[in-house]
């Protein structure tokens, strides 16, 4: 329950790379228009992992799903254009550092193979040292932090967990201990939101671990998929979850969508690894949600995700912003179909939380993800989408407001304190 006695509705979003970000936005667009009584940018509890951390951090900052669609999917902001290449810059400085260590590493390999010839061959010694020089991540993820810090630096937004209206938890994993770290929790809420999201999106092998307070963190999805328990422990009575990545069942899929494959093995290592990783992530998530039913018997969890015959989502490239509109539309329609199929069960469940399922909207088969978006002529004028110079001015005005309020209170020491609203 919230402080005003209303049921607490939370949102938990899983990872999935840029593809996952787009899918989650499309799903949220469908959910927000169909669930009357829920505003996804005004919830009391948010939990985000990896790509989900990008979306939840924006929602907790007051960006509606429609605004996120305009910013990320439609790329309508002139102040904050989304250019995929800006987030996929090679980590050149790490490659240079690795090359600089090669003479020392090669000398060490030669010495070891000569002194201990029965233990390791010269080739094995050299290979071990070369692997040690490979950077821990291919791409530089500092740009994620910089972009979000600028975006959340505008007036009425915040890069500080403690200044948000709702609770935001950005989940990461400590690389050296394997323990889950929930930035935004007490004692871990001093870290900038943008830095925490950078750590949560640090997919091992693709992005380097992120150092925060002397410790190194990577993608929290390595250990758990959705981290629904974080939201349930924070008090969520109804938890809405979106998971963009599911295992694929080729037998259920339309043969025309299988790219002329008899088996997924014909797709080579990338396809095999994609299937195996999704099976692991999805089965782990299902097991976790089943446990929550007994651990939190009076709570409800609603999960929305692609179905197992969804070839479009399986064969789409996870780390690509290509075809943003198509992926968003696909997520939007998939979620609407899911709502229609579960309509009878959802109506009674949602009513307990004061939420109405808009069956009239679900019945309108002509709707698309942008049907209800009223895009202004200049989206950059939206709050939070201003130019960085304007962001600095807005921050200065906020600081001035706080200073004036503080000194005004000090100048009236005998005035009785006002009761807090609500």
């Amino acid at each position: 329950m919230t402080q005003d006695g209303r049921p607490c509705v939370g949102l938990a979003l899983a990872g999935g790379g840029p593809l996952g970000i787009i899918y989650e936005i499309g799903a949220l667009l469908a959910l927000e228009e169909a669930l009357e009584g829920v505003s996804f940018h005004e919830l009391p509890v948010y939990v985000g992992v990896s790509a989900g951390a990008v979306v939840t951090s924006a929602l907790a900052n007051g960006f509606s799903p429609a605004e996120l669609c305009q910013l990320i999917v439609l790329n309508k902001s002139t102040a904050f254009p989304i250019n995929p290449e800006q987030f996929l810059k090679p980590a050149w400085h790490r490659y240079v550092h690795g090359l600089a260590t090669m003479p020392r590493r090669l000398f060490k390999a030669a010495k070891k193979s000569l002194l201990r010839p029965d233990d390791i061959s010269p080739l094995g010694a050299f290979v071990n040292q070369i692997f040690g020089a490979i950077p821990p991540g291919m791409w530089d993820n500092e740009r994620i932090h910089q972009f979000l810090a600028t975006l959340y630096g505008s007036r009425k937004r915040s890069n500080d967990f403690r200044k948000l209206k709702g609770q935001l938890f950005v989940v990461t994993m400590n690389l050296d201990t394997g323990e889950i770290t929930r930035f935004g929790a007490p004692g871990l809420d001093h870290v900038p939101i943008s830095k925490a999201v950078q750590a949560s999106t640090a997919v091992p092998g693709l992005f380097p671990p992120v150092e925060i307070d002397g410790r190194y963190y990577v993608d929290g999805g390595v250990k758990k998929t959705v981290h629904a328990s974080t939201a349930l422990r924070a008090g969520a009575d109804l938890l809405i979850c979106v998971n963009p990545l599911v295992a694929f069942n080729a037998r259920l899929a339309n043969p025309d969508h299988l790219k002329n494959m008899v088996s997924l093995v014909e797709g080579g290592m990338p396809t095999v690894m994609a299937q195996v990783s999704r099976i692991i992530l999805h089965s782990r998530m299902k097991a976790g949600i089943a446990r929550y039913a007994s651990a939190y018997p009076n709570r409800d969890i609603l999960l929305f995700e692609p179905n197992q015959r969804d070839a479009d989502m399986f064969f789409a490239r996870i780390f690509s912003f290509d075809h943003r509109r198509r992926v968003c539309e696909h997520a939007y329609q998939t979620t609407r179909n899911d709502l229609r199929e579960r309509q009878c069960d959802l109506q009674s469940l949602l009513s307990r939380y004061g939420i109405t399922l808009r069956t009239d909207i679900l019945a309108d088969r002509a709707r698309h993800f942008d049907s209800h978006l009223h895009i202004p002529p200049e989206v950059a004028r939206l709050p939070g989408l201003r130019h960085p110079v304007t962001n600095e001015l807005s921050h200065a005005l906020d600081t001035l407001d706080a200073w004036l309020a503080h000194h005004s209170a000090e100048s009236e020491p005998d005035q009785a304190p006002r009761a807090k609203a609500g």
Side-chain angles (χ1 to χ4, degrees):
M1 290 290 180
T2 58
Q3 292 182 350
D4 57 5
R6 293 182 299 176
C8 178
V9 179
L11 178 68
L13 301 182
L19 177 75
I21 294 174
I22 305 301
Y23 188 93
E24 287 168 349
I25 291 174
L28 289 171
L29 288 170
L31 291 170
E32 179 142 286
E33 69 175 11
L35 304 184
E36 186 175 326
V38 176
S39 294
F40 282 97
H41 61 294
E42 297 177 339
L43 297 180
V45 178
Y46 298 92
V47 176
V49 185
S50 194
V54 176
V55 179
T56 53
S57 66
L59 293 169
N61 251 294
F63 286 95
S64 68
E67 288 177 327
L68 285 181
C69 180
Q70 294 166 359
L71 174 66
I72 298 176
V73 179
L74 302 179
N75 199 18
K76 291 289 185 176
S77 174
T78 55
F80 294 95
I82 301 297
N83 180 9
E85 287 73 22
Q86 72 186 96
F87 301 109
L88 297 176
K89 292 288 186 182
W92 294 119
H93 63 289
R94 295 182 180 272
Y95 287 101
V96 171
H97 178 267
L99 288 173
T101 66
M102 284 304 296
R104 174 177 56 82
R105 290 179 176 277
L106 293 177
F107 175 78
K108 185 177 180 180
K111 181 179 178 180
K112 189 172 183 177
S113 63
L114 288 173
L115 295 178
R116 301 170 60 183
D118 297 332
D119 182 42
I120 188 170
S121 67
L123 178 60
F126 281 109
V127 169
N128 286 342
Q129 290 300 319
I130 291 174
F131 278 151
I134 297 176
M138 295 170 54
W139 297 315
D140 185 1
N141 54 0
E142 182 65 21
R143 293 173 182 270
I144 297 173
H145 159 54
Q146 294 171 354
F147 178 84
L148 293 179
T150 305
L151 186 64
Y152 300 157
S154 61
R155 201 175 191 195
K156 307 305 179 185
R157 316 289 182 189
S158 179
N159 202 25
D160 189 330
F161 284 99
R162 297 162 293 189
K163 295 182 179 179
L164 300 176
K165 292 181 180 180
Q167 299 180 80
L168 170 65
F169 300 95
V170 173
V171 185
T172 66
M173 188 186 78
N174 186 311
L175 179 65
D176 295 306
T177 65
E179 297 175 343
I180 289 298
T181 300
R182 300 171 179 85
F183 289 108
L188 293 168
D189 52 4
H190 64 287
V191 175
I193 295 172
S194 57
K195 198 68 177 178
V197 173
Q198 179 190 1
S200 187
T201 56
V203 180
L206 299 179
F207 295 106
V210 176
E211 182 181 4
I212 299 176
D213 294 339
R215 297 179 176 87
Y216 288 89
Y217 298 93
V218 296
D219 184 348
V222 170
K223 196 161 187 177
K224 292 177 70 177
T225 305
V226 179
H227 292 270
S229 59
T230 299
L232 295 172
R233 284 198 296 267
D237 299 301
L238 171 64
L239 181 62
I240 299 173
C241 304
V242 180
N243 172 44
L245 302 181
V246 300
F248 179 62
N249 190 330
R251 292 183 179 178
L252 301 177
N254 186 331
D256 294 335
H257 297 166
L258 295 181
K259 300 182 180 295
N260 298 318
M261 293 184 188
V262 176
S263 169
L264 293 181
V265 72
E266 297 178 27
M269 181 182 292
T271 302
V272 172
M273 293 303 296
Q275 175 72 332
V276 171
S277 62
R278 290 177 188 226
I279 291 173
I280 294 172
L281 292 171
H282 198 247
S283 61
R284 188 176 62 184
M285 181 193 67
K286 288 290 189 181
I289 290 180
R291 289 195 300 270
Y292 301 147
S294 57
Y296 301 92
N298 298 321
R299 316 289 182 87
D300 289 299
I301 299 177
L302 290 178
L303 174 64
F304 296 92
E305 58 185 6
N307 57 56
Q308 288 188 301
R309 61 178 179 274
D310 195 336
D312 285 342
M313 280 300 295
F314 180 76
F315 288 107
R317 291 177 294 169
I318 292 179
F319 290 91
S320 172
F321 275 102
D322 294 342
H323 311 296
R324 282 180 265 190
R325 292 183 64 100
R326 183 175 63 81
V327 172
C328 187
E329 177 69 18
H330 182 74
Y332 175 81
Q333 297 297 348
T334 298
T335 305
R336 281 170 53 83
N337 289 337
D338 194 359
L339 289 169
R340 280 193 289 264
E341 291 174 1
R342 301 158 64 183
Q343 180 173 312
C344 294
D345 294 333
L346 288 177
Q347 282 180 313
S348 59
L349 186 152
L350 292 171
S351 64
R352 300 202 298 267
Y353 299 97
I355 301 171
T356 302
L357 184 63
R358 294 287 305 274
T359 55
D360 57 326
I361 287 180
L362 294 178
D364 182 2
R365 303 279 179 160
R367 294 185 72 86
H368 298 282
F369 80 90
D370 55 354
S371 295
H372 69 296
L373 298 182
H374 301 289
I375 304 172
E378 181 51 74
V379 179
R381 296 174 186 170
L382 284 171
L385 302 182
R386 300 187 180 97
H387 191 274
V389 173
T390 310
N391 292 341
E392 294 179 6
L393 176 59
S394 296
H395 178 71
L397 290 173
D398 286 341
T399 304
L400 178 59
D401 287 343
W403 185 88
L404 290 173
H406 174 72
H407 285 273
S408 176
E410 286 185 345
S411 65
E412 301 177 5
D414 297 328
Q415 185 175 345
R418 299 178 180 177
K420 292 185 177 180

